[in-house]
Amino acid sequence: HDLRSPLSSIGLIYKLMEAGHIVSLSDRGKVALNQARDHTNKMLAMVNNLLDIEKMEAGMLQLELETVVVYEAATLAVQNVAALMETRQVTVDLRQTKDKVIVDKFRLVQILTNLLSNAIKSSPPNSQVAINTQPGNGYLKVSVTDQGSGIPEHLHKTIFAPYKQDANNQHKGMGLAICRALVHLHGGEIAFESQPGRGSSFYLSLADQSYNT
């Protein structure tokens, strides 16, 4: 909490600067401001993830379950990664997401944002990430699929562990660890399929609208 408050204040100053209320920036200054804002947002996301993990471990994170159309949550998640999509030149296909699921909407958006962020970073330029839904027996399977290079087999066992490094010593943060913890908190499951050179698919199994809460 002591870290989150000053980071939020810094982010507010960046927004005021971007709007021209504090100082007029050159094109070079605008680029630098965008970079600073992105790094601050990453730090804030890390702090929020740590707080969420702490709450879940203490049994204090409460879910507000409701019937949610996956398309609505996915649209909000896409908005959260819009800048990354533009930078990486990757699009997201949401056409097959009309099904409904029983979830905490805010947390589903959080899960999909993390999965989309990873998928976009793994995708080549001018490719597409797809979000699909598939009804099951009392559950709904939500998948996020990319066209990237895939996940090396030796990383499969630790992919959901927090702060692991990949073969290039790049830190992966807590995104997937948060996803797994939140899905399990909903009573669901998360898994993935991946082959080198053929992309990756992450699957969430969550209660569909017929589930009796």
Side-chain angles (χ1 to χ4, degrees):
H1 291 286
D2 291 339
L3 287 170
R4 183 165 61 178
S5 295
L7 285 173
S8 298
S9 297
I10 292 171
L12 178 60
I13 296 297
Y14 287 158
K15 289 182 179 179
L16 292 174
M17 292 177 66
E18 186 177 24
H21 295 311
I22 297 178
V23 64
S24 296
L25 295 173
S26 64
D27 290 341
R28 184 179 179 183
K30 291 177 181 178
V31 171
L33 176 62
N34 287 335
Q35 291 176 341
R37 182 189 58 196
D38 290 344
H39 288 307
T40 301
N41 288 339
K42 288 179 182 178
M43 292 178 64
L44 186 58
M46 290 172 61
V47 170
N48 288 333
N49 283 340
L50 286 169
L51 290 173
D52 283 343
I53 285 288
E54 182 179 346
K55 288 180 181 178
M56 282 185 277
E57 290 179 346
M60 298 174 60
L61 187 63
Q62 300 296 318
L63 300 177
E64 297 182 8
L65 298 178
E66 59 178 315
T67 300
V68 176
V69 179
V70 175
Y71 180 83
E72 296 176 358
T75 299
L76 293 174
V78 168
Q79 293 174 4
N80 290 340
V81 298
L84 181 61
M85 290 170 57
E86 183 177 357
T87 300
R88 305 286 296 192
Q89 299 179 24
V90 174
T91 59
V92 177
D93 182 6
L94 304 179
R95 290 175 296 176
Q96 305 299 322
T97 56
K98 303 299 184 182
D99 292 302
K100 298 178 182 179
V101 67
I102 301 294
V103 291
D104 183 313
K105 185 176 182 178
F106 175 80
R107 296 303 175 181
L108 179 58
V109 172
Q110 183 179 4
I111 293 167
L112 292 177
T113 298
N114 282 333
L115 293 180
L116 281 176
S117 178
N118 288 345
I120 293 168
K121 291 175 184 177
S122 300
S123 299
N126 302 314
S127 64
Q128 188 177 74
V129 173
I131 302 180
N132 294 291
T133 57
Q134 180 181 342
N137 184 18
Y139 68 90
L140 185 74
K141 184 166 77 172
V142 183
S143 63
V144 177
T145 304
D146 65 59
Q147 300 173 352
S149 58
I151 302 169
E153 187 173 353
H154 69 277
L155 297 177
H156 286 194
K157 292 183 179 180
T158 60
I159 194 68
F160 292 108
Y163 293 117
K164 288 293 182 180
Q165 292 179 324
D166 63 15
N168 297 317
N169 293 322
Q170 296 294 314
H171 288 282
K172 293 303 183 183
M174 297 188 69
L176 289 177
I178 286 287
C179 289
R180 180 177 62 176
L182 288 174
V183 171
H184 286 177
L185 192 62
H186 280 83
E189 294 293 338
I190 183 170
F192 72 96
E193 295 178 358
S194 181
Q195 293 184 6
R198 297 186 179 182
S200 305
S201 292
F202 281 80
Y203 303 95
L204 318 175
S205 295
L206 299 167
D208 70 14
Q209 61 179 337
S210 64
Y211 181 72
N212 185 345
T213 58

